[in-house]
C-alpha cells in the first residue's frame, strides 16, 4: 500500500518569537511578537484567501520591530494556528483579534488589517473599543457597490464546495502552484517575490488547510452592508483607509463615508495593486507615521 507523502513542517513566516493562546471558540491561535521598543503596540492582521499568513505583513513587521512592540496574528484556520473543521465566521475572526488585544497586548494598540480582515478588525474595535487606539485598513472590503449573494445562498454554496467527495480536490486546484502564482501575481505590478510564492504554497498545504478557505470562497465571511453595520459605527476612533487599485476589491462607497465622518482619512499610494507594503513600502511607512502622529 502506498503512503501519502509527508507534509514538511511549516516554516516561520517572520523572524520573530511565535507564541500561542487558547480560545474556546477557535482553539489554538498563533501569533508573532517583537516586544522591544517604546510607544503604542502595533497589531497586524493578514488577509483571507486560499493561502494567507503573517508573511503578507512581513515588510511592516520588520520595519517597526524594535521601534515599538509589534504583534502579528495568524487567524484561525491559517498559518500556525489550529485548522480544525469548524464553522468559521466573521465573528470568530473578530473574537480572535479581540482575545489577542485583551489577553496578550493588554494596552490600546494601533490595529492594521488587510482586505477582508479589515471587516474583522472593525468588529474587534467595536467590540473592545478600549483595546484599539487607531485602525488602518489596507484595501478594505465592504465599500463596493457590487452586491454579495444572500447569506443563505452562501451557506448553500459552501455545502457544494465543502462536500467530502470533492472538497479536497477542488481546494488542491485553488492552492496549486500555478493558481497561487496567478492569483498572487494579480496583486503585483511585476512578478511576486519567489519567497512569497513559496511560503503561500507551503502554508496552503498544511493539514486542514482547506476548511477556512472554502468558507471564504462561499462568501460567508463577508458582512452584508458592511458600511452601515461596521464602518459607519466607528465614529470616534481614528481610521485610515489606504485604497487605490485592487484586482479583487473596489471602493465606490469609501469617499462618501470619509466625507461624512471627520475621524476617517483616505490615503492613496498609487501605483500599487493592494499590497503597498510590498510595492510601495517607504510611501506606506511615511503615511502610517503621519497618521499615527496625528498629522
Amino acid at each position: 500500500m502506498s503512503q501519502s507523502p509527508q507534509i514538511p513542517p511549516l516554516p516561520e513566516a517572520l523572524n520573530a518569537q511565535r507564541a500561542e493562546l487558547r480560545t474556546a471558540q477557535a482553539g489554538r491561535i498563533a501569533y508573532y511578537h517583537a516586544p522591544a521598543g517604546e510607544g503604542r503596540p502595533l497589531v497586524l492582521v493578514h488577509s483571507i484567501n486560499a493561502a494567507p499568513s503573517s508573511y503578507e505583513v512581513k515588510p511592516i513587521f520588520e520595519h517597526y520591530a524594535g521601534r515599538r512592540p509589534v504583534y502579528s496574528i495568524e487567524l484561525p484556520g491559517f498559518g500556525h494556528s489550529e485548522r480544525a473543521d469548524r464553522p468559521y465566521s466573521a465573528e470568530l475572526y473578530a473574537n480572535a483579534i479581540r482575545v489577542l488585544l485583551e489577553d496578550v497586548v493588554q494596552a490600546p494598540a494601533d490595529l492594521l488589517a488587510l482586505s477582508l480582515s479589515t471587516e474583522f478588525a472593525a468588529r474587534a474595535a467595536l467590540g473592545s473599543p478600549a483595546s484599539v487606539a487607531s485602525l488602518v485598513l489596507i484595501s478594505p472590503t465592504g465599500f463596493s457597490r457590487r452586491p454579495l449573494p444572500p447569506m443563505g445562498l452562501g451557506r448553500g454554496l459552501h455545502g457544494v464546495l465543502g462536500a467530502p467527495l470533492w472538497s479536497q480536490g477542488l481546494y488542491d486546484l485553488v492552492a496549486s502552484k500555478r493558481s497561487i502564482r496567478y492569483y498572487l501575481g494579480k496583486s503585483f505590478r511585476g512578478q511576486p517575490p519567489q519567497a512569497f510564492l513559496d511560503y503561500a504554497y507551503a502554508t496552503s498545504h498544511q493539514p486542514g488547510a482547506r476548511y477556512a478557505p472554502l468558507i471564504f470562497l462561499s462568501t460567508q465571511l463577508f458582512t452584508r452592508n458592511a458600511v452601515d453595520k461596521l464602518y459607519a459605527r466607528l465614529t470616534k476612533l481614528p481610521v485610515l483607509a489606504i485604497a487605490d487599485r485592487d484586482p479583487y476589491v473596489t471602493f465606490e462607497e469609501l469617499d462618501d463615508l470619509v466625507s461624512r465622518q471627520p475621524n476617517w482619512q483616505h490615503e492613496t499610494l498609487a501605483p500599487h495593486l493592494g499590497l503597498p507594503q510590498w510595492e510601495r513600502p517607504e510611501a506606506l511607512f511615511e503615511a502610517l507615521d503621519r497618521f499615527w502622529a496625528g498629522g
Side-chain angles (χ1 to χ4, degrees):
M1 179 183 295
S2 63
Q3 294 182 338
S4 58
Q6 185 174 4
I7 299 173
L10 182 64
E12 302 297 348
L14 303 173
N15 183 21
Q17 300 175 56
R18 176 165 55 86
E20 297 177 348
L21 56 95
R22 297 273 176 175
T23 68
Q25 189 180 27
R28 177 177 48 79
I29 298 174
Y31 64 93
Y32 293 94
H33 59 117
E38 299 179 353
R40 284 199 305 261
L42 172 60
V43 176
L44 308 174
V45 189
H46 62 73
S47 71
I48 301 290
N49 51 65
S53 71
S54 287
Y55 202 96
E56 295 177 347
V57 298
K58 183 180 178 73
I60 306 174
F61 192 100
E62 290 181 343
H63 179 77
Y64 288 104
R67 307 183 187 196
R68 58 188 299 185
V70 187
Y71 301 79
S72 179
I73 188 171
E74 304 260 85
L75 292 174
F78 300 107
H80 287 276
S81 291
E82 189 173 312
R83 303 194 189 208
D85 184 5
R86 57 167 44 93
Y88 295 96
S89 66
E91 195 56 46
L92 180 143
Y93 287 116
N95 284 339
I97 298 169
R98 281 201 295 263
V99 170
L100 179 73
L101 290 167
E102 294 174 355
D103 294 358
V104 177
V105 181
Q106 295 185 337
D110 293 322
L111 182 58
L112 182 153
L114 310 181
S115 195
L116 175 55
S117 293
T118 61
E119 296 184 22
F120 311 148
R123 283 179 179 265
L126 291 168
S128 186
S131 299
V132 182
S134 74
L135 186 57
V136 175
L137 315 174
I138 296 181
S139 283
T141 58
F143 290 102
S144 174
R145 292 200 179 103
R146 292 180 295 185
L148 289 163
M151 186 63 80
L153 184 60
R155 286 191 289 267
L157 179 58
H158 180 256
V160 174
L161 296 174
L165 187 61
W166 55 70
S167 64
Q168 186 63 57
L170 174 63
Y171 176 73
D172 288 344
L173 290 174
V174 174
S176 68
K177 287 186 178 180
R178 177 176 294 193
S179 180
I180 287 173
R181 179 176 290 277
Y182 172 75
Y183 286 106
L184 187 56
K186 292 180 71 174
S187 294
F188 283 84
R189 290 176 298 142
Q191 292 297 315
Q194 187 60 48
F196 198 160
L197 292 167
D198 292 343
Y199 198 89
Y201 183 80
T203 193
S204 66
H205 286 78
Q206 298 301 304
R210 75 182 187 274
Y211 296 125
L214 289 178
I215 293 182
F216 161 70
L217 290 174
S218 74
T219 74
Q220 291 185 82
L221 299 181
F222 292 83
T223 298
R224 275 65 184 165
N225 194 15
V227 170
D228 291 337
K229 291 182 178 178
L230 298 176
Y231 298 130
R233 296 174 57 200
L234 297 168
T235 58
K236 298 179 181 178
L237 180 73
V239 181
L240 172 64
I242 297 173
D244 293 279
R245 285 181 55 209
D246 190 296
Y248 304 109
V249 187
T250 58
F251 314 104
E252 296 93 343
E253 298 186 14
L254 175 58
D255 285 335
D256 179 63
L257 178 64
V258 172
S259 69
R260 292 186 281 113
Q261 302 201 175
N263 60 308
W264 278 69
Q265 301 178 40
H266 177 196
E267 186 91 30
T268 60
L269 301 176
H272 68 91
L273 296 175
L275 296 174
Q277 69 272 27
W278 288 92
E279 296 203 282
R280 304 227 44 219
E282 294 306 321
L284 174 65
F285 301 148
E286 290 177 8
L288 294 177
D289 290 341
R290 190 166 56 247
F291 170 65
W292 288 326

